[in-house]
Amino acid sequence: MQLRSYDRRSVVFLVLGTLLFGWVLFGWWQKDYMNPDKVFKDMLSYSMNTYGYTKIIEQKNEGQDTLEKTQAFYGPFNGVYSIASITQKKNNAVTGRVVTETIGNASQESVRYVEISSDLKKPDGSAVDFNGLVGVWARNDAAAGPNAFLATKYGLVPFGMLTPNQRQEMLNFISKKDVYSYKVLEDAPDTDKNTLVYKVKINQKAQVEMIKKYAELTGDKSLDSINPDDYANGKDIEAQFYIKKNSRQLTKIRFVSYGVAEEYAGYGIQKNLPVPEAK
């Protein structure tokens, strides 16, 4: 069956219209959705709308290596799991290692030694026995001091599972206070085409005001005694933020001044980890 002339014209217009829509959509994708400023702000929004993440910090120095892996969980189950190790070395040989494990939430946390090894000797030449310390849970009053769970929320980037209204209020506050100033680093090493690397400066006073605002919105009183004015003369924190363009996920923060990097992965994982009782 042959198409009549007006049918052929309809097909042509349909094809041209589809192509035109595709070019418009591609232009919006490139100009607006992939705009570096939007990617950065979307990363902040995404970080405050996640069920959790994993953070890894590794340092290798002469004589000592440290490794810390932290899993944070938000939403129905608020908690943290962390395992950290310190390895002592001499002439590239391991002379000792301490590994600790932490499970906690906003109000309580428990810590235990998973491994303690050392080449230390007693006066009689025998090895020091640490077996009595390994595997024994000790309970910390998380409200009375440093809290591993709250530390996962209140970093250079706020993390958690906020409501849409809370998230928007935080984004407005961050913008109003100029917490971050940033620009894209061109030709950054060790990156793929889907990653934008930003040179970021964080105003210390504004950053403290930001986390206090977060605490206020979520009913957390643990930061009430912190005064942002105490940080007014603090030097800006300089860092590099690595952000995936498509997912808007933060994958790394590299601190410029001392060369330490935090790597982020495992977004959205949720676990319920009861805090162990002390033994």
Side-chain angles (χ1 to χ4, degrees), residues 136-193:
V136 180
W137 287 104
R139 176 66 64 88
N140 290 336
D141 181 1
N147 184 318
F149 172 69
L150 295 180
T152 69
K153 298 169 60 179
Y154 304 142
L156 291 188
V157 171
F159 282 95
M161 176 57 73
L162 300 184
T163 67
N165 288 340
Q166 289 173 330
R167 216 161 47 243
Q168 189 58 55
E169 190 167 347
M170 282 295 298
L171 292 172
N172 293 341
F173 187 88
I174 290 168
S175 178
K176 178 182 177 181
K177 292 293 182 178
D178 291 324
V179 178
Y180 307 98
S181 59
Y182 51 85
K183 65 178 182 179
V184 173
L185 283 176
E186 303 294 344
D187 301 321
D190 303 323
T191 57
D192 55 49
K193 292 182 179 180

Short mmCIF file of all heavy atoms in Angstrom, two decimals, residues 136-193:
data_model
loop_
_atom_site.label_atom_id
_atom_site.label_comp_id
_atom_site.label_asym_id
_atom_site.label_seq_id
_atom_site.Cartn_x
_atom_site.Cartn_y
_atom_site.Cartn_z
N VAL A 136 35.78 -7.84 74.21
CA VAL A 136 34.94 -7.40 75.33
C VAL A 136 34.33 -6.04 75.00
O VAL A 136 35.05 -5.06 74.79
CB VAL A 136 35.78 -7.28 76.62
CG1 VAL A 136 34.89 -6.82 77.78
CG2 VAL A 136 36.44 -8.62 76.95
N TRP A 137 33.01 -5.99 74.96
CA TRP A 137 32.32 -4.74 74.66
C TRP A 137 32.31 -3.82 75.87
O TRP A 137 32.03 -4.25 76.99
CB TRP A 137 30.88 -4.99 74.23
CG TRP A 137 30.73 -5.58 72.87
CD1 TRP A 137 30.42 -6.87 72.56
CD2 TRP A 137 30.87 -4.90 71.62
NE1 TRP A 137 30.35 -7.04 71.21
CE2 TRP A 137 30.63 -5.85 70.59
CE3 TRP A 137 31.17 -3.58 71.26
CZ2 TRP A 137 30.68 -5.52 69.25
CZ3 TRP A 137 31.21 -3.26 69.92
CH2 TRP A 137 30.98 -4.21 68.93
N ALA A 138 32.60 -2.54 75.64
CA ALA A 138 32.50 -1.50 76.67
C ALA A 138 31.51 -0.45 76.19
O ALA A 138 31.54 -0.05 75.02
CB ALA A 138 33.86 -0.87 76.93
N ARG A 139 30.63 -0.02 77.03
CA ARG A 139 29.58 0.92 76.65
C ARG A 139 30.03 2.35 76.94
O ARG A 139 30.47 2.68 78.05
CB ARG A 139 28.29 0.60 77.41
CG ARG A 139 27.13 1.56 77.18
CD ARG A 139 26.60 1.51 75.75
NE ARG A 139 26.03 0.22 75.40
CZ ARG A 139 24.76 -0.11 75.61
NH1 ARG A 139 23.93 0.72 76.20
NH2 ARG A 139 24.31 -1.30 75.22
N ASN A 140 29.90 3.22 75.95
CA ASN A 140 30.15 4.64 76.12
C ASN A 140 28.82 5.37 76.22
O ASN A 140 27.84 4.99 75.58
CB ASN A 140 30.93 5.22 74.92
CG ASN A 140 32.36 4.73 74.88
OD1 ASN A 140 32.93 4.35 75.88
ND2 ASN A 140 32.94 4.74 73.69
N ASP A 141 28.80 6.44 77.00
CA ASP A 141 27.64 7.32 77.03
C ASP A 141 27.79 8.29 75.87
O ASP A 141 28.51 9.28 75.97
CB ASP A 141 27.56 8.06 78.36
CG ASP A 141 26.33 8.96 78.44
OD1 ASP A 141 25.55 8.98 77.47
OD2 ASP A 141 26.16 9.65 79.46
N ALA A 142 27.14 8.01 74.76
CA ALA A 142 27.33 8.80 73.55
C ALA A 142 26.93 10.25 73.75
O ALA A 142 27.46 11.15 73.11
CB ALA A 142 26.55 8.19 72.38
N ALA A 143 25.98 10.49 74.65
CA ALA A 143 25.52 11.86 74.86
C ALA A 143 26.53 12.70 75.64
O ALA A 143 26.45 13.92 75.66
CB ALA A 143 24.18 11.85 75.60
N ALA A 144 27.49 12.04 76.29
CA ALA A 144 28.43 12.75 77.16
C ALA A 144 29.73 13.12 76.47
O ALA A 144 30.55 13.82 77.05
CB ALA A 144 28.74 11.90 78.40
N GLY A 145 29.93 12.68 75.25
CA GLY A 145 31.20 12.97 74.59
C GLY A 145 31.13 12.76 73.11
O GLY A 145 30.03 12.77 72.52
N PRO A 146 32.26 12.57 72.47
CA PRO A 146 32.28 12.35 71.01
C PRO A 146 31.37 11.18 70.63
O PRO A 146 31.39 10.13 71.25
CB PRO A 146 33.75 12.03 70.73
CG PRO A 146 34.50 12.69 71.85
CD PRO A 146 33.60 12.57 73.05
N ASN A 147 30.58 11.40 69.61
CA ASN A 147 29.57 10.43 69.22
C ASN A 147 29.81 10.03 67.77
O ASN A 147 29.75 10.86 66.86
CB ASN A 147 28.18 11.08 69.38
CG ASN A 147 27.05 10.12 69.09
OD1 ASN A 147 27.11 9.36 68.13
ND2 ASN A 147 26.03 10.16 69.91
N ALA A 148 30.09 8.74 67.55
CA ALA A 148 30.43 8.27 66.21
C ALA A 148 29.26 8.44 65.24
O ALA A 148 29.47 8.76 64.07
CB ALA A 148 30.86 6.81 66.27
N PHE A 149 28.02 8.24 65.72
CA PHE A 149 26.88 8.38 64.83
C PHE A 149 26.66 9.82 64.40
O PHE A 149 26.51 10.11 63.20
CB PHE A 149 25.61 7.85 65.49
CG PHE A 149 24.37 8.13 64.70
CD1 PHE A 149 24.14 7.49 63.48
CD2 PHE A 149 23.43 9.06 65.13
CE1 PHE A 149 23.00 7.76 62.73
CE2 PHE A 149 22.30 9.34 64.38
CZ PHE A 149 22.08 8.68 63.18
N LEU A 150 26.66 10.75 65.35
CA LEU A 150 26.44 12.15 65.00
C LEU A 150 27.56 12.69 64.13
O LEU A 150 27.34 13.56 63.28
CB LEU A 150 26.30 13.00 66.27
CG LEU A 150 25.07 12.69 67.14
CD1 LEU A 150 25.04 13.60 68.36
CD2 LEU A 150 23.78 12.85 66.33
N ALA A 151 28.76 12.15 64.30
CA ALA A 151 29.89 12.58 63.45
C ALA A 151 29.64 12.23 61.99
O ALA A 151 30.16 12.92 61.09
CB ALA A 151 31.19 11.93 63.94
N THR A 152 28.84 11.20 61.71
CA THR A 152 28.55 10.86 60.31
C THR A 152 27.60 11.87 59.67
O THR A 152 27.55 11.98 58.45
CB THR A 152 27.90 9.45 60.21
OG1 THR A 152 26.57 9.48 60.76
CG2 THR A 152 28.74 8.40 60.91
N LYS A 153 26.86 12.60 60.49
CA LYS A 153 25.89 13.58 59.98
C LYS A 153 26.50 14.97 59.83
O LYS A 153 26.17 15.69 58.88
CB LYS A 153 24.69 13.66 60.93
CG LYS A 153 23.90 12.38 61.08
CD LYS A 153 22.89 12.46 62.21
CE LYS A 153 21.88 13.56 62.04
NZ LYS A 153 20.89 13.59 63.14
N TYR A 154 27.38 15.32 60.77
CA TYR A 154 27.85 16.70 60.85
C TYR A 154 29.29 16.83 60.38
O TYR A 154 30.21 17.09 61.17
CB TYR A 154 27.74 17.20 62.29
CG TYR A 154 26.36 17.10 62.90
CD1 TYR A 154 26.18 16.74 64.23
CD2 TYR A 154 25.23 17.38 62.14
CE1 TYR A 154 24.91 16.66 64.79
CE2 TYR A 154 23.95 17.28 62.69
CZ TYR A 154 23.81 16.94 64.01
OH TYR A 154 22.55 16.85 64.55
N GLY A 155 29.53 16.65 59.10
CA GLY A 155 30.86 16.82 58.55
C GLY A 155 30.92 18.03 57.65
O GLY A 155 30.13 18.97 57.77
N LEU A 156 31.85 18.04 56.73
CA LEU A 156 31.92 19.13 55.76
C LEU A 156 30.66 19.16 54.90
O LEU A 156 30.24 20.20 54.42
CB LEU A 156 33.15 18.99 54.86
CG LEU A 156 34.52 19.20 55.52
CD1 LEU A 156 35.61 19.23 54.46
CD2 LEU A 156 34.55 20.49 56.33
N VAL A 157 30.08 17.98 54.70
CA VAL A 157 28.81 17.84 53.98
C VAL A 157 27.80 17.21 54.93
O VAL A 157 28.11 16.20 55.57
CB VAL A 157 28.97 16.97 52.72
CG1 VAL A 157 27.62 16.66 52.09
CG2 VAL A 157 29.88 17.65 51.71
N PRO A 158 26.62 17.79 55.08
CA PRO A 158 25.62 17.18 55.97
C PRO A 158 24.99 15.95 55.33
O PRO A 158 24.62 15.98 54.15
CB PRO A 158 24.58 18.31 56.15
CG PRO A 158 24.71 19.14 54.91
CD PRO A 158 26.16 19.06 54.50
N PHE A 159 24.88 14.88 56.11
CA PHE A 159 24.27 13.65 55.62
C PHE A 159 23.07 13.29 56.49
O PHE A 159 23.01 13.63 57.68
CB PHE A 159 25.28 12.49 55.69
CG PHE A 159 26.29 12.49 54.57
CD1 PHE A 159 27.52 13.07 54.74
CD2 PHE A 159 26.00 11.89 53.36
CE1 PHE A 159 28.46 13.06 53.72
CE2 PHE A 159 26.92 11.87 52.33
CZ PHE A 159 28.17 12.46 52.51
N GLY A 160 22.14 12.55 55.90
CA GLY A 160 21.01 12.06 56.67
C GLY A 160 19.80 11.85 55.79
O GLY A 160 19.87 11.89 54.56
N MET A 161 18.66 11.61 56.44
CA MET A 161 17.39 11.43 55.75
C MET A 161 16.43 12.49 56.26
O MET A 161 15.70 12.29 57.25
CB MET A 161 16.85 10.01 56.01
CG MET A 161 15.47 9.75 55.39
SD MET A 161 15.37 10.03 53.62
CE MET A 161 16.27 8.62 53.00
N LEU A 162 16.45 13.66 55.61
CA LEU A 162 15.59 14.76 56.00
C LEU A 162 14.31 14.74 55.17
O LEU A 162 14.26 14.17 54.08
CB LEU A 162 16.31 16.10 55.80
CG LEU A 162 17.60 16.31 56.59
CD1 LEU A 162 18.13 17.73 56.35
CD2 LEU A 162 17.40 16.07 58.07
N THR A 163 13.28 15.42 55.67
CA THR A 163 12.06 15.58 54.89
C THR A 163 12.33 16.58 53.77
O THR A 163 13.29 17.36 53.83
CB THR A 163 10.92 16.10 55.77
OG1 THR A 163 11.23 17.44 56.19
CG2 THR A 163 10.72 15.22 57.00
N PRO A 164 11.49 16.59 52.72
CA PRO A 164 11.69 17.57 51.65
C PRO A 164 11.73 19.02 52.16
O PRO A 164 12.55 19.82 51.70
CB PRO A 164 10.49 17.33 50.73
CG PRO A 164 10.17 15.88 50.93
CD PRO A 164 10.43 15.62 52.38
N ASN A 165 10.86 19.37 53.10
CA ASN A 165 10.84 20.73 53.64
C ASN A 165 12.12 21.04 54.42
O ASN A 165 12.69 22.14 54.30
CB ASN A 165 9.62 20.94 54.53
CG ASN A 165 8.33 21.03 53.74
OD1 ASN A 165 8.34 21.29 52.53
ND2 ASN A 165 7.21 20.80 54.40
N GLN A 166 12.57 20.07 55.22
CA GLN A 166 13.81 20.26 55.96
C GLN A 166 15.00 20.42 55.01
O GLN A 166 15.88 21.26 55.22
CB GLN A 166 14.05 19.08 56.90
CG GLN A 166 13.12 19.01 58.09
CD GLN A 166 13.31 17.72 58.88
OE1 GLN A 166 13.69 16.68 58.33
NE2 GLN A 166 13.03 17.78 60.17
N ARG A 167 15.00 19.59 53.96
CA ARG A 167 16.09 19.63 52.99
C ARG A 167 16.14 21.00 52.30
O ARG A 167 17.21 21.58 52.14
CB ARG A 167 15.88 18.52 51.97
CG ARG A 167 17.15 17.89 51.50
CD ARG A 167 16.94 16.53 50.89
NE ARG A 167 15.86 16.42 49.94
CZ ARG A 167 14.80 15.66 50.10
NH1 ARG A 167 14.64 14.94 51.19
NH2 ARG A 167 13.86 15.58 49.17
N GLN A 168 14.99 21.49 51.88
CA GLN A 168 14.96 22.79 51.21
C GLN A 168 15.37 23.91 52.15
O GLN A 168 16.08 24.85 51.74
CB GLN A 168 13.55 23.06 50.67
CG GLN A 168 13.49 24.28 49.76
CD GLN A 168 14.42 24.16 48.57
OE1 GLN A 168 14.36 23.20 47.81
NE2 GLN A 168 15.32 25.14 48.41
N GLU A 169 14.96 23.82 53.40
CA GLU A 169 15.38 24.84 54.38
C GLU A 169 16.88 24.82 54.58
O GLU A 169 17.51 25.87 54.70
CB GLU A 169 14.64 24.61 55.70
CG GLU A 169 14.83 25.75 56.70
CD GLU A 169 13.87 25.69 57.87
OE1 GLU A 169 12.90 24.91 57.82
OE2 GLU A 169 14.09 26.44 58.84
N MET A 170 17.47 23.62 54.61
CA MET A 170 18.92 23.52 54.74
C MET A 170 19.62 24.10 53.52
O MET A 170 20.60 24.84 53.64
CB MET A 170 19.33 22.06 54.93
CG MET A 170 19.12 21.51 56.33
SD MET A 170 20.18 22.32 57.57
CE MET A 170 21.82 21.91 56.96
N LEU A 171 19.13 23.80 52.33
CA LEU A 171 19.75 24.31 51.11
C LEU A 171 19.66 25.83 51.05
O LEU A 171 20.63 26.50 50.66
CB LEU A 171 19.08 23.69 49.88
CG LEU A 171 19.32 22.19 49.68
CD1 LEU A 171 18.44 21.66 48.55
CD2 LEU A 171 20.79 21.91 49.37
N ASN A 172 18.53 26.39 51.46
CA ASN A 172 18.40 27.85 51.51
C ASN A 172 19.37 28.46 52.51
O ASN A 172 19.98 29.51 52.24
CB ASN A 172 16.96 28.24 51.86
CG ASN A 172 15.96 27.87 50.78
OD1 ASN A 172 16.33 27.64 49.63
ND2 ASN A 172 14.69 27.80 51.14
N PHE A 173 19.51 27.80 53.64
CA PHE A 173 20.42 28.29 54.69
C PHE A 173 21.86 28.25 54.21
O PHE A 173 22.64 29.19 54.42
CB PHE A 173 20.24 27.44 55.95
CG PHE A 173 20.99 27.95 57.14
CD1 PHE A 173 20.42 28.87 58.00
CD2 PHE A 173 22.28 27.51 57.42
CE1 PHE A 173 21.11 29.35 59.11
CE2 PHE A 173 22.98 27.97 58.52
CZ PHE A 173 22.39 28.90 59.36
N ILE A 174 22.25 27.14 53.57
CA ILE A 174 23.62 26.99 53.05
C ILE A 174 23.94 28.08 52.03
O ILE A 174 25.02 28.66 52.04
CB ILE A 174 23.79 25.59 52.44
CG1 ILE A 174 23.79 24.53 53.54
CG2 ILE A 174 25.09 25.49 51.63
CD1 ILE A 174 23.68 23.10 53.03
N SER A 175 22.97 28.36 51.17
CA SER A 175 23.16 29.40 50.17
C SER A 175 23.25 30.78 50.81
O SER A 175 24.11 31.60 50.45
CB SER A 175 22.00 29.37 49.16
OG SER A 175 22.13 30.38 48.21
N LYS A 176 22.39 31.05 51.76
CA LYS A 176 22.36 32.36 52.43
C LYS A 176 23.66 32.62 53.18
O LYS A 176 24.18 33.74 53.19
CB LYS A 176 21.18 32.41 53.40
CG LYS A 176 21.08 33.70 54.20
CD LYS A 176 19.90 33.64 55.16
CE LYS A 176 19.84 34.90 56.03
NZ LYS A 176 18.70 34.83 56.99
N LYS A 177 24.21 31.58 53.82
CA LYS A 177 25.42 31.74 54.64
C LYS A 177 26.71 31.60 53.83
O LYS A 177 27.80 31.79 54.39
CB LYS A 177 25.41 30.70 55.76
CG LYS A 177 24.33 30.91 56.81
CD LYS A 177 24.59 32.18 57.62
CE LYS A 177 23.56 32.37 58.71
NZ LYS A 177 23.85 33.58 59.54
N ASP A 178 26.61 31.28 52.54
CA ASP A 178 27.81 31.09 51.71
C ASP A 178 28.79 30.12 52.37
O ASP A 178 29.98 30.41 52.52
CB ASP A 178 28.51 32.43 51.45
CG ASP A 178 27.70 33.34 50.54
OD1 ASP A 178 27.05 32.80 49.62
OD2 ASP A 178 27.71 34.56 50.75
N VAL A 179 28.26 28.97 52.75
CA VAL A 179 29.10 27.96 53.40
C VAL A 179 30.23 27.52 52.47
O VAL A 179 31.38 27.39 52.88
CB VAL A 179 28.26 26.74 53.83
CG1 VAL A 179 29.16 25.67 54.46
CG2 VAL A 179 27.17 27.16 54.81
N TYR A 180 29.89 27.33 51.20
CA TYR A 180 30.87 26.81 50.24
C TYR A 180 31.13 27.84 49.14
O TYR A 180 30.20 28.48 48.63
CB TYR A 180 30.35 25.54 49.56
CG TYR A 180 29.90 24.45 50.49
CD1 TYR A 180 28.55 24.29 50.80
CD2 TYR A 180 30.81 23.57 51.06
CE1 TYR A 180 28.12 23.28 51.65
CE2 TYR A 180 30.39 22.56 51.91
CZ TYR A 180 29.04 22.42 52.20
OH TYR A 180 28.63 21.42 53.05
N SER A 181 32.39 27.99 48.78
CA SER A 181 32.74 28.66 47.52
C SER A 181 33.55 27.64 46.72
O SER A 181 34.41 26.95 47.27
CB SER A 181 33.56 29.93 47.77
OG SER A 181 34.75 29.65 48.48
N TYR A 182 33.27 27.54 45.42
CA TYR A 182 33.86 26.44 44.66
C TYR A 182 33.97 26.76 43.18
O TYR A 182 33.29 27.66 42.66
CB TYR A 182 33.03 25.16 44.85
CG TYR A 182 31.56 25.33 44.59
CD1 TYR A 182 31.02 25.23 43.31
CD2 TYR A 182 30.68 25.59 45.65
CE1 TYR A 182 29.66 25.37 43.08
CE2 TYR A 182 29.33 25.76 45.43
CZ TYR A 182 28.82 25.64 44.15
OH TYR A 182 27.48 25.80 43.93
N LYS A 183 34.85 26.04 42.53
CA LYS A 183 34.97 26.08 41.08
C LYS A 183 35.46 24.72 40.62
O LYS A 183 36.09 23.96 41.38
CB LYS A 183 35.93 27.17 40.63
CG LYS A 183 37.38 26.97 41.04
CD LYS A 183 38.26 28.10 40.50
CE LYS A 183 39.73 27.88 40.88
NZ LYS A 183 40.58 28.96 40.34
N VAL A 184 35.15 24.39 39.38
CA VAL A 184 35.53 23.09 38.84
C VAL A 184 37.02 23.10 38.48
O VAL A 184 37.53 24.07 37.91
CB VAL A 184 34.70 22.75 37.59
CG1 VAL A 184 35.21 21.48 36.93
CG2 VAL A 184 33.24 22.58 37.97
N LEU A 185 37.71 22.02 38.86
CA LEU A 185 39.10 21.84 38.46
C LEU A 185 39.14 21.13 37.12
O LEU A 185 38.66 20.01 36.98
CB LEU A 185 39.85 21.00 39.51
CG LEU A 185 40.28 21.69 40.81
CD1 LEU A 185 40.91 20.67 41.74
CD2 LEU A 185 41.25 22.82 40.54
N GLU A 186 39.68 21.79 36.13
CA GLU A 186 39.80 21.18 34.81
C GLU A 186 40.99 20.22 34.78
O GLU A 186 42.01 20.45 35.42
CB GLU A 186 39.99 22.27 33.75
CG GLU A 186 38.88 23.32 33.72
CD GLU A 186 37.53 22.74 33.29
OE1 GLU A 186 37.52 21.63 32.72
OE2 GLU A 186 36.51 23.41 33.52
N ASP A 187 40.83 19.14 34.04
CA ASP A 187 41.91 18.16 33.85
C ASP A 187 42.44 17.62 35.18
O ASP A 187 43.65 17.43 35.36
CB ASP A 187 43.07 18.77 33.05
CG ASP A 187 42.62 19.25 31.68
OD1 ASP A 187 41.79 18.55 31.06
OD2 ASP A 187 43.07 20.32 31.24
N ALA A 188 41.52 17.38 36.14
CA ALA A 188 41.95 16.80 37.41
C ALA A 188 42.41 15.36 37.19
O ALA A 188 41.79 14.62 36.42
CB ALA A 188 40.80 16.82 38.42
N PRO A 189 43.50 14.95 37.84
CA PRO A 189 44.01 13.59 37.62
C PRO A 189 43.12 12.53 38.27
O PRO A 189 42.35 12.82 39.18
CB PRO A 189 45.39 13.62 38.28
CG PRO A 189 45.27 14.68 39.34
CD PRO A 189 44.33 15.72 38.76
N ASP A 190 43.25 11.31 37.79
CA ASP A 190 42.59 10.15 38.40
C ASP A 190 41.07 10.30 38.46
O ASP A 190 40.43 9.96 39.45
CB ASP A 190 43.13 9.87 39.81
CG ASP A 190 44.62 9.65 39.82
OD1 ASP A 190 45.13 9.04 38.86
OD2 ASP A 190 45.30 10.11 40.76
N THR A 191 40.48 10.83 37.38
CA THR A 191 39.03 10.95 37.34
C THR A 191 38.51 10.39 36.02
O THR A 191 39.25 10.24 35.05
CB THR A 191 38.58 12.42 37.45
OG1 THR A 191 39.18 13.18 36.40
CG2 THR A 191 38.97 13.01 38.79
N ASP A 192 37.22 10.06 36.01
CA ASP A 192 36.60 9.61 34.77
C ASP A 192 35.69 10.71 34.23
O ASP A 192 35.51 11.76 34.86
CB ASP A 192 35.80 8.32 35.01
CG ASP A 192 34.77 8.48 36.12
OD1 ASP A 192 34.01 9.47 36.09
OD2 ASP A 192 34.73 7.62 37.02
N LYS A 193 35.12 10.48 33.06
CA LYS A 193 34.32 11.51 32.39
C LYS A 193 33.03 11.82 33.15
O LYS A 193 32.41 12.87 32.92
CB LYS A 193 34.00 11.07 30.97
CG LYS A 193 35.22 11.01 30.06
CD LYS A 193 34.83 10.60 28.64
CE LYS A 193 36.04 10.57 27.73
NZ LYS A 193 35.69 10.18 26.34
#
